[in-house]
Amino acid sequence: MSKSPSNPKGTRDFLPLELSKRNYIINILRKNFKNFGFSEIETPALEKSSTLLGKYGNEGDRLVFKILNSGDKVKKADISSLQSGDLNSFIRSISEKGLKYDLTVPLARFVSQHQNEITFPFKRFQIQNVWRADRPQHGRFQEFTQCDADVVGSNSVLQEIELIKLYDTVFNQLGFSDLVIKINHRRILKELACYFGAGENIVEFITALDKIDKIGVDKVLEEIKLLTLDFSEKELRNLLSAKEFDLGYLKKIFSKNSDSFYALDELNQILSYFSVNNLVNEIKFDLTLARGLNYYTGTIIEVLSKTNQRIGSIGGGGRYDDLTSMFNLKNMSGVGISFGLDRIYLLMEESKLFPDYLDKSFEFMVANFGISNLESLAPYVDEIRNKNREVFIYPDNVKLTKQFSFANKHNASVVIIYGENERKEGIVTLKNMLTGDQSSCQLNELVQTLTNS
Amino acid sequence: MSKSPSNPKGTRDFLPLELSKRNYIINILRKNFKNFGFSEIETPALEKSSTLLGKYGNEGDRLVFKILNSGDKVKKADISSLQSGDLNSFIRSISEKGLKYDLTVPLARFVSQHQNEITFPFKRFQIQNVWRADRPQHGRFQEFTQCDADVVGSNSVLQEIELIKLYDTVFNQLGFSDLVIKINHRRILKELACYFGAGENIVEFITALDKIDKIGVDKVLEEIKLLTLDFSEKELRNLLSAKEFDLGYLKKIFSKNSDSFYALDELNQILSYFSVNNLVNEIKFDLTLARGLNYYTGTIIEVLSKTNQRIGSIGGGGRYDDLTSMFNLKNMSGVGISFGLDRIYLLMEESKLFPDYLDKSFEFMVANFGISNLESLAPYVDEIRNKNREVFIYPDNVKLTKQFSFANKHNASVVIIYGENERKEGIVTLKNMLTGDQSSCQLNELVQTLTNS
């Protein structure tokens, strides 16, 4: 028995106001995912350890929450491996399941498992919680919501175009118009590493480039000097410092290797498509965009606020070849994007993009003067609710000032007053909670009066 | 690496069609919860062991999924208690958190923890997953969704009335009109036990009554004979067999104990309220309704299908005094109901209550004739999507028969055809996928043609 109960560190309780703002974002996401032809799926929180482990590297595996086997199965604990310091074996002896770490590995498992029940190309979205046993700290949670849309089983560049359009549409509907959607291509980064003599250290080269926003061009060049001896610092500096990247220039310096030429061509198709069909937000080819060390192999995409870069990217994604090969389904290219719900929330809060009506717990409150009065008001309350308007009936017949104060705390628009006097006269008194004004109407005109305003 | 990947037993993947039907139910629930003035909250999946354990009895504690401590904390495993067979101590040494088992204990924790941030009476609803380490079997899952609405901090019988009205409204909107909403009161069951001489065995008496639907009146009477020597079998048989229960008769046989008289009065108020404000479904006082051995102390409610009783109750709830006292917040009466999502789903599937449009993955599909054709069609697709209609653009420029077959599998209504010929003439060909008919319209009339139908 806990004296002062609390939720575990790194997890959150959502109170009504915060949740209704989060759901406002999620509803706009879900609606647009559907309008773009994505279908929603859900996978369980629990996955087998064999599905989860070995997919995120050692660091990732460490962050997977493991579930203790239940019942007498715990007795099979392998004490000797605990004593010899082999924690992984010990854990394997008492745990066969874990909580999902992201939505991508479960998607790969799902597609492979249900390949005969779905039709390719498979466009799915998923809005679900994931769990990471990360050290809890400000703004980093152990339980959080991911919002992903992916297409599996199509190589067409049209998918990249549609996903960028989806980003623009969603963010526009959320009220953003100052964003930049950056794109780059993993194959170009590879080719660039080769061109500057770091062909043996591609990953390190990409890692160095990825830090440019944080440490600047000079420091990036210093790091690259450690990876390659034979390169023109001036040429790389010019490239990395350029305000506008020139696909034509890259075509000139790259070997006519079909792989990277195809990548340049793909970026070119995307950019020229959006030179005809304009976006609300800006789209920009950014040669320094790298998106960490994850599994992307093709186009990469990232969304940032131009006026508030401090908050970091609020969306990102890309293409990964062979998404499902880890589950023995070959040749399924995947491309997808993710929306950063928590950061979008923060940015919308800062920029005051949430509509005011979200502050209301309910629109109308019926003051309580006893059940017999409510009995005759009930059919009208039913009607208002059937018109999808929210009515809270105050539960107890207490002082009106207490009832009004409750309505105020919940930002109700109108309090409906139907006491003895009103009942005798067949009228209803309406108190406007914003202005404090009172007016009245006939009981049988109540629904119209309230729902036409 | 798993050869044939699968989700853990007792958990489910939801494919698009099933999920859209589940979400159809959930959306109607959420909308009505809000219309009735309930506010939504969410609590994490993870709770501290101190919050979860000791709240559900020994059997319940056994069914709580425990999370293994992460990192080096596992090294603190108490081997000696494992060896001495004290599994609980062993588990405590390596686990401090678990997955929530229901939404009621987290609600009690939430209300107690956030008592200064919320206003009472607190009407909240919650639609979230819970986990139980139950033996997986047909129709019983380890991970499932609970849909609960509760009021905390009001003793008014108006809450019971509102919750019954909420049941009726939701089920009516889902298409049900053959349900019976049964009500009873725990205090009446207690008084009944005393009246028939089983005052020492109240729990056993209630447990026996609870089986009446399964084993019949005769067997229930046999069980009660074991609990009490001094009772009129004939009188109890008459009571239990009665088609309509008579509150007046109970008033006569019960001692004028204020506690049970208050209970009878409460039921009377509820029933007379609904004799004025009719429900779509039936409401019925049922003296044999007991609702298991859980924490209810006042009114109890259960919803059943009259035509399909086999499936069991599709909703239930009741009032419990001192909901939050387990977390040291006293005198907070709670009353709430729960909707049985999985059973409602099954019953709606059997009774064909789901609307046909849920079978469509998307409404419109654009056939693909290459990106240059799509470029000029794009603004019109944008407009259709902005009107909240779903458009799937086929990603690859492949044979039309293959594209049509894809549209068919997804139950699309119309395929939009805009090839070379159409582009030259400035028209669009529309293929109705239900009738197979083709028609055409001017490109600039496309949006109106599709969205006005």
Side-chain angles (χ1 to χ4, degrees):
Chain A
M1 188 142 330
S2 165
K3 277 201 179 162
S4 47
S6 61
N7 49 313
K9 260 189 200 168
T11 71
R12 289 171 285 180
D13 284 333
F14 291 110
L15 276 81
L17 179 60
E18 191 175 355
L19 188 60
S20 71
K21 289 179 178 176
R22 278 171 67 88
N23 284 342
Y24 172 79
I25 301 173
I26 287 175
N27 287 340
I28 287 179
L29 282 173
R30 178 173 276 125
K31 203 179 62 185
N32 282 293
F33 287 155
K34 285 185 185 169
N35 293 345
F36 275 71
F38 289 84
S39 298
E40 187 167 11
I41 65 162
E42 281 183 10
T43 62
L46 302 175
E47 290 277 1
K48 292 181 176 174
S49 301
S50 56
T51 297
L52 291 174
L53 300 178
K55 308 296 189 298
Y56 311 98
N58 284 340
E59 178 59 8
D61 283 1
R62 232 177 43 82
L63 298 183
V64 171
F65 275 112
K66 283 101 184 169
I67 306 276
L68 205 57
N69 288 342
S70 41
D72 282 351
K73 280 188 174 180
V74 183
K75 287 184 189 158
K76 294 185 183 155
D78 180 357
I79 298 174
S80 64
S81 52
L82 176 65
Q83 284 163 335
S84 71
D86 182 0
L87 286 189
N88 285 339
S89 295
F90 175 66
I91 290 171
R92 265 200 307 276
S93 72
I94 49 172
S95 167
E96 288 162 6
K97 281 187 282 220
L99 292 174
K100 65 183 167 198
Y101 175 96
D102 69 4
L103 301 179
T104 305
V105 166
L107 168 64
R109 198 259 309 141
F110 179 99
V111 167
S112 174
Q113 181 176 336
H114 301 285
Q115 53 185 285
N116 298 321
E117 298 158 77
I118 56 183
T119 325
F120 295 98
F122 181 56
K123 288 175 76 168
R124 87 85 177 79
F125 74 93
Q126 220 169 326
I127 301 174
Q128 290 195 274
N129 281 359
V130 302
W131 291 265
R132 292 183 192 173
D134 231 338
R135 188 182 298 274
Q137 47 183 271
H138 183 71
R140 185 184 291 178
F141 301 98
Q142 294 193 329
E143 178 170 349
F144 58 97
T145 308
Q146 288 201 331
C147 313
D148 287 9
D150 291 80
V151 188
V152 185
S154 164
N155 292 306
S156 167
V157 71
L158 184 64
Q159 300 314 331
E160 275 88 342
I161 289 173
E162 283 266 275
L163 289 170
I164 290 165
K165 179 76 199 173
L166 176 59
Y167 262 145
D168 189 58
T169 306
V170 165
F171 282 121
N172 182 31
Q173 285 184 23
L174 289 174
F176 292 99
S177 54
D178 72 324
L179 306 178
V180 55
I181 301 170
K182 293 183 174 180
I183 58 168
N184 197 4
H185 202 294
R186 273 290 165 95
R187 292 202 197 121
I188 292 178
L189 288 173
K190 271 192 186 177
E191 180 81 2
L192 208 65
C194 296
Y195 178 79
F196 286 102
E200 308 277 295
N201 303 96
I202 290 177
V203 171
E204 292 77 4
F205 184 87
I206 291 176
T207 311
L209 275 198
D210 201 27
K211 299 184 199 159
I212 204 161
D213 284 340
K214 286 184 195 130
I215 64 176
V217 174
D218 287 340
K219 293 230 165 99
V220 167
L221 285 171
E222 270 172 41
E223 291 201 9
I224 286 171
K225 269 184 217 163
L226 302 172
L227 304 174
T228 166
L229 295 170
D230 174 30
F231 84 113
S232 156
E233 189 180 326
K234 192 179 159 202
E235 192 177 7
L236 185 53
R237 181 185 294 277
N238 282 345
L239 256 181
L240 297 184
S241 315
K243 286 269 170 277
E244 297 290 333
F245 290 109
D246 183 349
L247 286 169
Y249 176 73
L250 290 177
K251 269 201 164 162
K252 262 181 259 164
I253 66 171
F254 284 176
S255 62
K256 303 241 173 218
N257 170 314
S258 67
D259 218 33
S260 60
F261 259 64
Y262 178 75
L264 286 169
D265 196 48
E266 226 169 57
L267 287 184
N268 208 28
Q269 280 188 70
I270 296 170
L271 293 169
S272 61
Y273 182 94
F274 287 116
S275 66
V276 181
N277 292 285
N278 283 331
L279 298 173
V280 175
N281 297 285
E282 190 189 350
I283 180 165
K284 200 171 158 185
F285 167 44
D286 182 344
L287 192 60
T288 68
L289 177 66
R291 287 198 61 68
L293 278 176
N294 39 35
Y295 37 70
Y296 298 118
T297 51
T299 323
I300 44 182
I301 310 171
E302 198 165 273
V303 185
L304 292 142
S305 161
K306 283 192 270 191
T307 46
N308 191 338
Q309 303 209 347
R310 182 183 46 77
I311 217 158
S313 71
I314 55 174
R319 184 178 282 274
Y320 30 94
D321 298 327
D322 264 345
L323 165 71
T324 56
S325 64
M326 58 177 117
F327 296 110
N328 290 342
L329 177 64
K330 307 283 182 202
N331 299 319
M332 280 285 172
S333 181
V335 58
I337 57 174
S338 192
F339 288 80
L341 182 60
D342 287 312
R343 288 184 179 176
I344 293 170
Y345 185 100
L346 279 179
L347 209 48
M348 287 183 67
E349 200 69 295
E350 279 185 19
S351 314
K352 302 197 191 322
L353 296 181
F354 287 112
D356 288 341
Y357 69 81
L358 295 176
D359 291 339
K360 292 186 190 310
S361 305
F362 41 80
E363 191 174 5
F364 306 120
M365 190 184 100
V366 175
N368 192 314
F369 295 88
I371 284 196
S372 51
N373 284 346
L374 286 172
E375 254 175 33
S376 16
L377 192 65
Y380 303 96
V381 172
D382 291 352
E383 231 182 295
I384 298 168
R385 286 174 172 166
N386 284 338
K387 286 176 184 285
N388 267 331
R389 309 290 279 264
E390 299 149 7
V391 186
F392 184 102
I393 304 181
Y394 196 85
D396 302 291
N397 186 356
V398 296
K399 268 198 225 154
L400 258 188
T401 50
K402 192 174 175 191
Q403 300 194 37
F404 284 148
S405 141
F406 185 91
N408 254 331
K409 274 190 188 144
H410 288 83
N411 283 313
S413 306
V414 174
V415 172
I416 300 165
I417 298 165
Y418 185 70
E420 285 298 328
N421 294 337
E422 279 86 0
R423 186 146 68 128
K424 273 180 209 146
E425 294 181 48
I427 62 159
V428 184
T429 305
L430 301 174
K431 186 177 172 74
N432 181 317
M433 296 306 287
L434 195 65
T435 62
D437 295 346
Q438 294 200 169
S439 60
S440 68
C441 70
Q442 298 295 311
L443 177 59
N444 59 16
E445 286 168 357
L446 174 66
V447 181
Q448 218 193 339
T449 307
L450 288 178
T451 58
N452 280 359
S453 64
Chain B
M1 187 142 332
S2 164
K3 278 201 177 160
S4 45
S6 60
N7 50 312
K9 260 189 200 166
T11 72
R12 288 171 286 178
D13 284 333
F14 292 110
L15 276 82
L17 179 59
E18 192 174 355
L19 188 61
S20 71
K21 288 178 177 175
R22 277 170 68 89
N23 283 343
Y24 171 80
I25 300 173
I26 287 174
N27 288 340
I28 287 179
L29 281 174
R30 177 174 275 126
K31 202 179 63 183
N32 282 292
F33 286 156
K34 286 186 183 168
N35 293 346
F36 275 71
F38 289 85
S39 298
E40 187 166 13
I41 65 162
E42 281 183 9
T43 62
L46 302 175
E47 290 278 0
K48 292 180 177 174
S49 301
S50 57
T51 297
L52 292 174
L53 300 178
K55 307 297 188 296
Y56 311 99
N58 284 341
E59 177 60 9
D61 284 359
R62 231 177 42 82
L63 298 184
V64 171
F65 274 112
K66 283 104 187 167
I67 306 275
L68 206 56
N69 288 343
S70 41
D72 282 351
K73 281 189 174 178
V74 182
K75 287 184 187 156
K76 293 184 182 156
D78 179 358
I79 297 173
S80 63
S81 52
L82 176 65
Q83 285 163 334
S84 70
D86 183 0
L87 286 189
N88 285 339
S89 294
F90 175 65
I91 290 171
R92 265 200 308 275
S93 71
I94 49 172
S95 167
E96 288 162 6
K97 281 186 283 215
L99 293 174
K100 65 183 166 199
Y101 175 97
D102 69 5
L103 300 178
T104 305
V105 166
L107 168 64
R109 197 259 308 143
F110 179 99
V111 167
S112 175
Q113 182 176 334
H114 301 286
Q115 53 186 285
N116 298 322
E117 298 158 78
I118 57 183
T119 325
F120 296 98
F122 181 55
K123 287 176 77 168
R124 86 87 177 79
F125 75 94
Q126 219 169 327
I127 300 174
Q128 289 197 276
N129 281 359
V130 301
W131 291 265
R132 293 184 190 171
D134 230 340
R135 187 183 299 275
Q137 48 183 271
H138 183 71
R140 184 184 291 179
F141 301 99
Q142 294 193 331
E143 177 171 351
F144 58 97
T145 308
Q146 287 201 332
C147 313
D148 287 9
D150 291 80
V151 188
V152 185
S154 164
N155 292 306
S156 167
V157 69
L158 184 64
Q159 300 314 330
E160 274 88 343
I161 289 173
E162 282 267 275
L163 289 170
I164 289 165
K165 179 77 198 175
L166 176 58
Y167 261 146
D168 189 57
T169 305
V170 165
F171 282 122
N172 182 28
Q173 285 183 23
L174 288 174
F176 292 99
S177 54
D178 71 324
L179 306 178
V180 56
I181 302 170
K182 294 181 174 182
I183 58 169
N184 197 6
H185 202 295
R186 271 290 165 95
R187 292 200 197 121
I188 292 178
L189 288 174
K190 271 192 185 177
E191 180 82 4
L192 207 65
C194 296
Y195 179 79
F196 287 101
E200 308 277 293
N201 303 96
I202 290 175
V203 171
E204 291 78 5
F205 184 87
I206 291 177
T207 310
L209 275 198
D210 201 28
K211 298 185 200 159
I212 203 162
D213 285 339
K214 286 185 194 128
I215 63 175
V217 174
D218 287 339
K219 292 229 165 101
V220 167
L221 285 171
E222 270 172 43
E223 291 200 8
I224 287 172
K225 268 183 216 164
L226 301 173
L227 304 174
T228 165
L229 293 169
D230 175 31
F231 82 112
S232 156
E233 189 181 328
K234 192 180 159 201
E235 191 176 7
L236 184 53
R237 180 185 295 277
N238 282 345
L239 255 180
L240 298 184
S241 314
K243 287 267 170 281
E244 297 291 335
F245 290 109
D246 183 350
L247 286 169
Y249 176 73
L250 290 177
K251 268 201 165 164
K252 262 180 261 165
I253 66 169
F254 284 176
S255 62
K256 303 240 174 222
N257 170 316
S258 68
D259 217 32
S260 60
F261 259 63
Y262 179 75
L264 286 168
D265 196 48
E266 227 170 56
L267 287 184
N268 208 30
Q269 280 188 69
I270 297 170
L271 292 169
S272 62
Y273 182 93
F274 287 116
S275 66
V276 181
N277 291 286
N278 282 331
L279 298 174
V280 175
N281 296 285
E282 190 190 349
I283 179 165
K284 201 172 158 184
F285 167 44
D286 182 346
L287 192 61
T288 68
L289 178 67
R291 287 200 58 71
L293 278 176
N294 40 35
Y295 37 68
Y296 298 117
T297 51
T299 324
I300 43 181
I301 310 170
E302 198 165 274
V303 185
L304 292 143
S305 161
K306 284 192 268 189
T307 46
N308 192 337
Q309 303 210 346
R310 183 183 45 77
I311 217 159
S313 72
I314 56 174
R319 185 176 281 275
Y320 31 93
D321 298 328
D322 264 346
L323 166 71
T324 56
S325 64
M326 58 176 117
F327 297 110
N328 291 343
L329 179 64
K330 307 284 182 201
N331 298 321
M332 281 285 172
S333 181
V335 58
I337 57 173
S338 192
F339 287 81
L341 182 60
D342 286 312
R343 287 183 179 176
I344 293 169
Y345 185 100
L346 278 179
L347 208 48
M348 287 183 67
E349 199 70 294
E350 279 184 19
S351 315
K352 301 198 193 321
L353 295 181
F354 287 113
D356 288 340
Y357 70 81
L358 295 176
D359 291 339
K360 293 188 189 309
S361 305
F362 40 80
E363 191 175 4
F364 306 119
M365 189 184 102
V366 174
N368 191 314
F369 295 88
I371 285 196
S372 51
N373 284 347
L374 286 173
E375 253 176 33
S376 15
L377 192 64
Y380 303 96
V381 171
D382 291 352
E383 229 181 297
I384 298 169
R385 285 173 172 167
N386 284 339
K387 286 176 183 285
N388 267 329
R389 308 290 279 264
E390 300 149 8
V391 187
F392 185 103
I393 305 181
Y394 197 85
D396 303 291
N397 186 357
V398 297
K399 267 199 225 154
L400 258 188
T401 50
K402 193 175 174 191
Q403 300 193 37
F404 285 147
S405 140
F406 185 91
N408 254 330
K409 274 190 188 145
H410 288 82
N411 283 314
S413 305
V414 174
V415 172
I416 299 166
I417 298 165
Y418 185 69
E420 285 298 329
N421 294 338
E422 279 86 0
R423 186 148 67 130
K424 273 180 209 147
E425 295 181 47
I427 61 159
V428 184
T429 305
L430 301 174
K431 186 178 173 74
N432 181 317
M433 297 305 287
L434 195 65
T435 63
D437 294 346
Q438 294 200 169
S439 59
S440 69
C441 70
Q442 297 295 311
L443 177 59
N444 58 17
E445 287 168 356
L446 175 65
V447 180
Q448 218 193 339
T449 308
L450 288 178
T451 58
N452 280 357
S453 64

